[in-house]
Amino acid sequence: MATIAVLGGSGLAGRGIAQFLLDRKDVTVVLMGRTQSTLEDTARSLGGDRVIVRQVDARDPGGLREALTDIDLLVVAAPLLETCEEIARAALDTGTDWLDIMLDIPPKLQALNYLGDEFEEAGLKLIAGTGAHPGLPAVMVRALADEFTDMTDVEVGMLMAMDWKNAMASKDTAAEFAVEGLHFRSAGWVNGEYRSYSWIDPRATRRIDFGPPFGKRGCVCMELAEIKGLKALYPKLINASMFMAGFSPIVDWIIMPTSIMMITISKKLAAPATKLLWWGLERFSKPPYGLSLTVDAEGSGHAPITMTLKHEDGYWLTSAVAAATIDQYLDGMITAPGLHQAALVVDPHRLLADLEARGIEIDRT
């Protein structure tokens, strides 16, 4: 019986991950978070005798270490970017494997890279970036790569349109997006070299057709660690980039830059900056809602292929991808210790098959 802790277990993604894990009979789930009553409500909604509640503040290293003493895997399902290194250190000190669904931004990646060798020496796994974004784009690319003798060109497009007004997401999520914007970098593989762009460089933009009900949307090239890591797996790769559709023109070009500027000026402005961004997300989100991923791949030995994946709920999809990754971890398919980008270490075909079995629409053309 494996004991898996979900830090942020009462959040939308954390609750979904816990629900999926309880479908297995060999797992006990420990919900962790700051608010005891909310955790208990979540545990009651999940039901069963394999759900445990532990109140813990991730900013309290001592309390976190005590809470992790009997945990096999810690799933970080909350936007805890500022305390990422301290949480990972607590996992290392208690002999606990790690998996997170946090956004891939430099502070997180630097913290995990810093501890990666120590995790490897301790025989522990550090599985980073599993979910819809990051976690799914490179999985789709890898699934298509098997169709080619050599894959040479990949373009990923992603759109996430949420009904923020009714999403019941935490304001911490808005803060996470603001921090991501602060560290935003436009980069990808171009003509065999890894190239960075200014975020206003027209070469970093695309207009991508996401199909019904979304249609064509303007997108900007966005650096993603798992896309950068594809070159090591596919040496003949020449071009590989991910293009992300924005929230809305007003949020993308006015509210988000203003929020980022406020945080840059002073950390004391982080709270009002987050409040401003949250207001913008709620005020200017418009239907249709949902998440859409499209991957165009080319190479030798096969005609070009397009794979599309859609779901109406980005949080649910993130939970499903994380749970499918944990299934492979529990089944002994992720064996090497140390730091891994989740999308580069899972079996992509099994993961996509698991998503389809859970009702997620995936089309290959």
Side-chain angles (χ1 to χ4, degrees), residues 11-23:
L12 290 176
R15 183 194 305 253
I17 293 169
Q19 182 67 70
F20 283 126
L21 290 177
L22 290 171
D23 290 339

Side-chain angles (χ1 to χ4, degrees), residues 48-328:
D49 57 358
R50 290 184 290 120
V51 183
I52 299 169
V53 167
R54 287 183 189 169
Q55 182 181 17
V56 61
D57 189 337
R59 296 167 297 184
D60 173 14
L64 187 58
R65 284 179 177 80
E66 184 178 351
L68 293 177
T69 52
D70 61 344
I71 301 299
D72 298 304
L73 173 68
L74 172 65
V75 179
V76 182
L80 297 166
L81 296 167
E82 291 186 357
T83 54
C84 179
E85 183 175 338
E86 291 79 3
I87 298 169
R89 174 65 68 181
L92 178 63
D93 291 345
T94 55
T96 305
D97 289 329
W98 162 293
L99 181 144
D100 74 75
I101 66 169
M102 291 187 289
L103 297 173
D104 273 353
I105 64 171
K108 169 197 157 181
L109 296 174
Q110 289 164 8
L112 298 188
N113 280 319
Y114 176 71
L115 292 173
D117 289 344
E118 293 186 56
F119 267 78
E120 185 172 1
E121 291 172 5
L124 297 172
K125 301 175 185 70
L126 195 59
I127 305 170
T130 179
H133 162 236
L136 197 48
V139 166
M140 296 171 66
V141 171
R142 291 178 60 216
L144 292 181
D146 290 345
E147 303 293 328
F148 301 99
T149 304
D150 289 303
M151 184 176 63
T152 57
D153 294 83
V154 170
E155 183 175 281
V156 180
M158 183 172 184
L159 178 150
M160 187 170 69
M162 288 186 61
D163 181 4
W164 292 97
K165 199 168 192 176
N166 299 304
M168 300 187 337
S170 164
K171 286 184 174 61
D172 288 341
T173 303
E176 188 181 27
F177 282 129
V179 172
E180 182 185 35
L182 184 64
H183 294 280
F184 181 87
R185 190 164 177 254
S186 187
W189 292 103
V190 182
N191 296 326
E193 297 181 355
Y194 199 69
R195 181 181 299 175
S196 298
Y197 296 103
S198 161
W199 71 287
I200 59 173
D201 190 327
R203 294 175 299 175
T205 62
R206 291 285 190 280
R207 192 160 178 82
I208 294 177
D209 189 352
F210 290 97
F214 304 109
K216 293 184 178 180
R217 300 289 182 93
C219 302
V220 64
C221 179
M222 181 177 188
E223 183 176 48
L224 202 62
E226 65 198 57
I227 299 297
K228 185 177 183 180
L230 287 171
K231 182 74 169 175
L233 297 179
Y234 309 107
K236 296 294 182 67
L237 196 63
I238 299 172
N239 300 297
S241 297
M242 174 173 162
F243 292 86
M244 189 79 178
F247 297 109
S248 72
I250 293 176
V251 171
D252 294 343
W253 298 103
I254 299 176
I255 296 176
M256 177 70 85
T258 301
S259 299
I260 293 170
M261 183 174 63
M262 292 169 67
I263 295 173
T264 304
I265 291 171
S266 173
K267 288 187 177 181
K268 293 180 180 179
L269 296 176
T274 298
K275 187 176 181 180
L276 173 63
L277 180 56
W278 185 258
W279 172 82
L281 292 171
E282 288 188 323
R283 174 66 177 82
F284 297 104
S285 64
K286 295 180 180 179
Y289 300 116
L291 185 145
S292 180
L293 264 165
T294 178
V295 178
D296 294 319
E298 297 183 23
S300 58
H302 199 289
I305 310 174
T306 296
M307 177 186 289
T308 60
L309 182 151
K310 295 181 182 180
H311 195 269
E312 61 187 11
D313 186 341
Y315 276 101
W316 189 93
L317 180 59
T318 289
S319 299
V321 174
T325 303
I326 295 169
D327 280 342
Q328 295 193 29

